[in-house]
Amino acid sequence: MKNSLAATAGVGLLNTACANQGSKEMIRSIKPKVVSTWRHGLQANEAANEILKAGGSALDAAEKGVMVIEADPENTSVGIGGAPDRDGNVTLDACIMDHKGNAGSVSFLQHIKHPVAVARKVMEETPHVMLAGEGALRFAIDQGFEKENLLTEKSKAEWEKWRKTSDYKPVINVENHDTIGMICQDANGNLSGSCTTSGLAYKMHGRVGDSPVIGAGLYVDNDYGAAVATGMGELMLKTLGAFLVVELIRQGMSAQEACEQAIQRIVDKMPDYKDFQVGYLAMDKAGNTGAFAIHKWFNYAEMADGKNELIDSKAYLND
Ligand code: ASP
């Protein structure tokens, strides 16, 4: 293992060095690359790739890519159309992190379709990292975001159906876990990431998951790699999952090994892990990707060399 780790770290350092030297030839050797969680990542990757192809930054790509999914009313776990909490309120969580280690986040934000764009404003326009609830809403409106109703007729009808039984046990199925987390690497080799969600369907009012928490739902260390998480947020919060993945890469693991170890941490610490899904997706500085989940039905979209494909992640349980 040591050799492959050294090799991975070496390639990463080489790329960084080349990018820093600014030689056109060397910079060209680093290809823009985008990965993002779940099937809707295919669409988001296209938008992010357009930006990267035009020479845009990883940060712009990571923001604009996931905004496509936030704006889709048919998507029931992100942005407008997201499933509401148990009281019928759509409350959104999102964060963003750039290659300089800057980070911005909003949690428990209502009425704003693009929480990731508000998170970027928090990062760029305030001395803070996270704004929550009413304060985040007020800040968004001050920044020119439009206040709108995010509960679509379709999500309302589903919620009303759910209310008949009000079965509160968090369910592990694809519909309830489709946060979009995205990692982009631009032509300069810089890494940025984003994460946005309406969180668990029919959660308690006020519940915040991993997605807006830097280190739980997203982490970027431009020297080594980046990671995003999806699934039952409480498990990533308790293990600081995205940070753990990146830290393991920093210590020499490949992106794949790091994702596997972060899932192993959950398995070792949480006896009821089988009841939940968690998926990690990572990219190291050299552009190698890794993904691992508790259950095998986690997938992600990878865009590289103009090819955008949906890939099934490996998993701890082969159920
Ligand atoms: N991680 C999100 C949360 O716990 C949910 C998801 O990924 O679907 O809020």
Side-chain angles (χ1 to χ4, degrees), residues 23-94:
S23 139
K24 271 195 188 139
E25 212 173 79
M26 285 176 168
I27 287 172
R28 260 206 307 276
S29 76
I30 302 166
K31 295 189 181 70
K33 187 166 179 179
V34 186
V35 288
S36 60
T37 55
W38 304 111
R39 175 173 287 279
H40 53 201
L42 289 170
Q43 204 191 343
N45 284 1
E46 295 288 346
N49 194 48
E50 283 305 306
I51 291 170
L52 295 174
K53 259 186 355 199
S57 69
L59 178 65
D60 283 343
E63 180 194 20
K64 299 291 183 300
V66 299
M67 280 173 71
V68 173
I69 310 306
E70 287 181 336
D72 179 0
E74 293 303 311
N75 187 302
T76 58
S77 202
V78 181
I80 191 161
D85 65 16
R86 57 190 332 184
D87 304 324
N89 310 291
V90 179
T91 72
L92 304 177
D93 295 335

Side-chain angles (χ1 to χ4, degrees), residues 149-217:
N149 174 28
L150 304 181
L151 187 64
T152 56
E153 283 308 313
K154 192 176 155 201
S155 322
K156 193 169 169 208
E158 285 294 317
W159 168 64
E160 277 164 354
K161 214 159 76 191
W162 170 83
R163 265 211 304 181
K164 292 195 178 121
T165 53
S166 296
D167 183 4
Y168 188 49
K169 195 170 172 1
V171 191
I172 47 156
N173 62 26
V174 177
E175 286 82 49
N176 280 342
H177 288 294
D178 53 7
T179 293
I180 183 152
M182 174 178 274
I183 302 167
C184 299
Q185 187 173 43
D186 61 30
N188 293 319
N190 286 326
L191 292 166
S192 292
S194 58
C195 189
T196 176
T197 190
S198 54
L200 292 183
Y202 320 132
K203 61 196 174 187
M204 288 175 74
H205 186 59
R207 182 265 185 188
V208 170
D210 60 305
S211 307
V213 177
I214 299 297

Side-chain angles (χ1 to χ4, degrees), residues 64-293:
K64 299 291 183 300
V66 299
M67 280 173 71
V68 173
I69 310 306
E70 287 181 336
D72 179 0
E74 293 303 311
N75 187 302
T76 58
S77 202
V78 181
I80 191 161
D85 65 16
R86 57 190 332 184
D87 304 324
N89 310 291
V90 179
T91 72
L92 304 177
D93 295 335
C95 71
I96 193 158
M97 196 164 178
D98 74 7
H99 66 287
K100 294 183 184 146
N102 297 312
S105 148
V106 287
S107 60
F108 190 51
L109 175 64
Q110 297 186 61
H111 311 302
I112 305 289
K113 184 163 68 185
H114 288 303
V116 76
V118 185
R120 182 165 178 180
K121 290 281 183 199
V122 172
M123 175 172 94
E124 291 176 342
E125 307 293 336
T126 82
H128 306 305
V129 169
M130 183 187 280
L131 291 179
E134 192 53 41
L137 176 61
R138 220 181 306 149
F139 170 74
I141 290 167
D142 286 350
Q143 290 290 322
F145 288 86
E146 194 189 332
K147 191 171 171 182
E148 50 191 309
N149 174 28
L150 304 181
L151 187 64
T152 56
E153 283 308 313
K154 192 176 155 201
S155 322
K156 193 169 169 208
E158 285 294 317
W159 168 64
E160 277 164 354
K161 214 159 76 191
W162 170 83
R163 265 211 304 181
K164 292 195 178 121
T165 53
S166 296
D167 183 4
Y168 188 49
K169 195 170 172 1
V171 191
I172 47 156
N173 62 26
V174 177
E175 286 82 49
N176 280 342
H177 288 294
D178 53 7
T179 293
I180 183 152
M182 174 178 274
I183 302 167
C184 299
Q185 187 173 43
D186 61 30
N188 293 319
N190 286 326
L191 292 166
S192 292
S194 58
C195 189
T196 176
T197 190
S198 54
L200 292 183
Y202 320 132
K203 61 196 174 187
M204 288 175 74
H205 186 59
R207 182 265 185 188
V208 170
D210 60 305
S211 307
V213 177
I214 299 297
L218 167 71
Y219 198 72
V220 177
D221 179 332
N222 197 45
D223 292 331
Y224 294 96
V228 289
T230 180
M232 188 69 192
E234 281 71 6
L235 278 66
M236 292 83 102
L237 281 169
K238 285 189 268 191
T239 52
L240 220 48
F243 177 78
L244 179 59
V245 171
V246 175
E247 182 57 18
L248 292 169
I249 295 173
R250 197 181 74 83
Q251 288 176 15
M253 286 189 192
S254 69
Q256 182 60 34
E257 287 165 336
C259 290
E260 290 177 16
Q261 278 308 307
I263 291 292
Q264 188 63 49
R265 184 72 58 93
I266 290 172
V267 169
D268 292 345
K269 299 272 179 192
M270 293 164 207
D272 57 350
Y273 72 89
K274 285 188 185 151
D275 295 341
F276 305 106
Q277 174 65 309
V278 170
Y280 289 120
L281 176 62
M283 194 197 298
D284 69 17
K285 185 69 179 174
N288 301 302
T289 49
F292 206 61

